[in-house]
Amino acid sequence: MAVVEDAPADPGPRPQGEIDYRLGQQRILARFGMDALRSRDLEQLLQRATELCAAGMNAGFCKYLDAPDDQGRMLVRAGVGWADGIVGSAHLGADIASPAGFAFKIGEPVISNHLEDEERFRTPDIMADHGIRRAINVLVETDGHRYGVIEVDSVHDGKFDEDDLAFMQGFANLIGVAIERQHAEGKLNAALEHQELLVREASHRVKNSLALVSAMLNLQMQEDDDPRIIRLLGDAQARITAIAQTHDQLWRGDRIGIVVLDDLASGLVTGLQEQAPQCRIECAAEPIAISADTAIPLGLMLTELVTNAIKYAGGERQSGAIDVRIAEEGDVIMMTVTDNGPGMPKGFDINTQSRASLGMRMIASLTRQLGGTIAFTPDLNDKGTRVCLTFPNPRAL
């Protein structure tokens, strides 16, 4: 129940001017409702609330007071009509001898139509200095959480009544919902940022762990004289490096879990080039954003195909040329790896070869994982090999 001083008796049917006044209040309240739903800036919303409240009540003053601080003071956080230096700096007492303090602590609206004769509350100095003669205070709360008080003040004689209180309560309810929504969004954003941090840290740790495994394989290669063992360890090292570099891209990117294909491909090719200085490897990839689920098998596939091309285009030769192209082709992504080696043996079939070769078995498996198709053909000049992998474009799914 509102605490009301000199509440007027029911005057009976309203005159037409009064009806228009109340309809105007409803229009103002509806307008603010739209603002409260759209706004993401709480400071602007509170300021807008005070301006519309003052306009709707034909009053020159309105203020929003924050919940009491640890010193029992309520900050004038937003307001209209007040002298410079008041809004954002001035405080009012939050005890029950203050109209705003009473409304906040007791939880009931307060109407005081004659502040100069008021015996229930003291008149704050700020209001006395501005010649305020009457005030109405309404608590802003949502689900039991009290956020502050909105107060309309006037320097003119007159009476705030229960209809004015209903108008003010509508504003208080909308402000409370807006504050609650922004608090919830803040908690959600904090949780998402924490989740992103955990993902970045996990991906970074995976990359570092894989780099350690790669270094151990490199040491083992230096200790072994068997060319076959060295080759197998080198292949394993290249595969591990491909996964590590993909994870590196995952945590370095602006979007968690997304890799830009040109960065991934150029990084992998640069690493492979360093291990095969006898070959010239060119790479041209479009900046296609793909997920980790696509990036990891694609990175492994690129590593397998280029490593295989190095063996045949380089081998005993003094030089070899390898060309990597990755581009969008409508609903698919196409990756081609072309070399100038001796070409594929007659009757080459990947299904047959995959039973005898771990590398070909991996290529076949990764092709299935990507949901794509792969073809080994002679290069256009009938020298060397052209491998073409085609798989669904994630943007088209």
Side-chain angles (χ1 to χ4, degrees):
M1 180 180 293
V3 179
V4 183
E5 179 206 39
D6 294 331
D10 186 355
R14 300 280 189 184
Q16 185 61 42
E18 181 72 6
I19 293 174
D20 290 341
Y21 173 62
R22 297 305 175 191
L23 289 174
Q25 286 185 334
Q26 293 306 308
R27 286 192 293 270
I28 288 174
L29 189 58
R31 188 190 315 164
F32 181 69
M34 295 300 296
D35 291 341
L37 286 172
R38 289 193 297 254
S39 177
R40 291 294 182 271
D41 187 323
L42 185 57
E43 300 305 321
Q44 288 184 1
L45 183 67
L46 293 175
Q47 183 59 35
R48 182 65 171 158
T50 61
E51 293 168 358
L52 289 176
C53 265
M57 301 278 279
N58 283 339
F61 297 83
C62 182
K63 57 181 175 287
Y64 175 81
L65 299 161
D66 263 339
D69 60 18
D70 54 5
Q71 299 180 45
R73 304 176 306 165
M74 302 179 74
L75 172 69
V76 181
R77 187 169 176 181
V80 62
W82 307 99
D84 291 344
I86 298 295
V87 175
S89 300
H91 294 81
L92 273 67
D95 57 284
I96 59 174
S98 160
F102 185 95
F104 185 87
K105 292 197 170 181
I106 305 303
E108 297 291 345
V110 174
I111 298 177
S112 182
N113 284 316
H114 299 287
L115 284 173
E116 66 271 20
D117 300 325
E118 184 63 73
E119 295 180 355
R120 299 167 302 162
F121 310 109
R122 68 175 181 275
T123 301
D125 291 341
I126 293 172
M127 296 167 68
D129 292 343
H130 286 77
I132 302 300
R133 305 190 70 180
R134 55 194 174 104
I136 179 169
N137 292 265
V138 178
L139 174 67
V140 175
E141 68 172 337
T142 304
D143 295 331
H145 297 287
R146 298 183 179 184
Y147 296 114
V149 170
I150 187 163
E151 176 181 317
V152 168
D153 306 294
S154 177
V155 298
H156 302 294
D157 289 332
K159 292 183 182 296
F160 292 130
D161 59 21
E162 295 291 340
D163 290 330
D164 293 318
L165 180 59
F167 171 70
M168 291 284 294
Q169 190 64 63
F171 264 88
N173 293 343
L174 289 170
I175 293 171
V177 169
I179 293 174
E180 184 72 13
R181 187 199 71 212
Q182 294 209 3
H183 284 184
E185 288 178 354
K187 291 178 182 177
L188 178 60
N189 288 335
L192 290 174
E193 288 176 4
H194 182 64
Q195 177 89 10
E196 181 177 318
L197 179 63
L198 291 178
V199 171
R200 288 183 185 275
E201 180 63 22
S203 193
H204 184 54
R205 287 176 182 267
V206 168
K207 178 250 186 182
N208 286 343
S209 297
L210 291 173
L212 179 60
V213 174
S214 178
M216 292 172 63
L217 288 175
N218 188 56
L219 288 174
Q220 186 63 48
M221 289 167 61
Q222 295 176 22
E223 293 293 324
D224 208 302
D225 295 329
D226 188 330
R228 179 176 177 275
I229 297 299
I230 292 174
R231 179 177 59 80
L232 292 174
L233 290 175
D235 290 347
Q237 185 186 40
R239 292 160 186 156
I240 291 171
T241 299
I243 298 174
Q245 288 196 14
T246 304
H247 275 278
D248 189 44
Q249 294 289 332
L250 286 173
W251 75 267
R252 286 185 184 278
D254 293 333
R255 298 164 59 195
I256 289 295
I258 299 297
V259 173
V260 182
L261 201 45
D262 58 342
D263 290 339
L264 175 63
S266 62
L268 290 173
V269 167
T270 297
L272 293 168
Q273 175 72 85
E274 291 173 355
Q275 298 177 31
Q278 77 278 16
C279 291
R280 187 186 77 259
I281 309 176
E282 301 288 342
C283 178
E286 293 181 359
I288 308 166
I290 57 176
S291 69
D293 291 340
T294 302
I296 291 175
L298 186 60
L300 284 169
M301 176 72 86
L302 175 60
T303 300
E304 288 296 321
L305 293 177
V306 174
T307 299
N308 199 53
I310 289 172
K311 291 177 186 175
Y312 295 101
E316 301 298 326
R317 298 156 55 98
Q318 294 299 313
S319 65
I322 301 169
D323 184 69
V324 178
R325 304 275 170 175
I326 307 176
E328 289 181 303
E329 298 285 347
D331 292 344
V332 299
I333 294 175
M334 183 178 294
M335 179 173 75
T336 59
V337 178
T338 307
D339 66 63
N340 65 345
M344 305 302 296
K346 260 190 177 181
F348 174 85
D349 177 64
I350 187 172
N351 294 321
T352 302
Q353 288 294 319
S354 64
R355 289 193 289 268
S357 166
L358 174 60
M360 287 298 169
R361 192 153 60 245
M362 284 189 64
I363 289 171
S365 175
L366 292 168
T367 300
R368 289 192 296 271
Q369 188 174 339
L370 289 165
T373 58
I374 193 166
F376 290 76
T377 60
D379 193 11
L380 295 178
N381 58 8
D382 208 24
K383 293 181 180 179
T385 302
R386 182 177 185 267
V387 185
C388 181
L389 168 70
T390 303
F391 61 94
N393 188 341
R395 297 182 185 179
L397 297 180

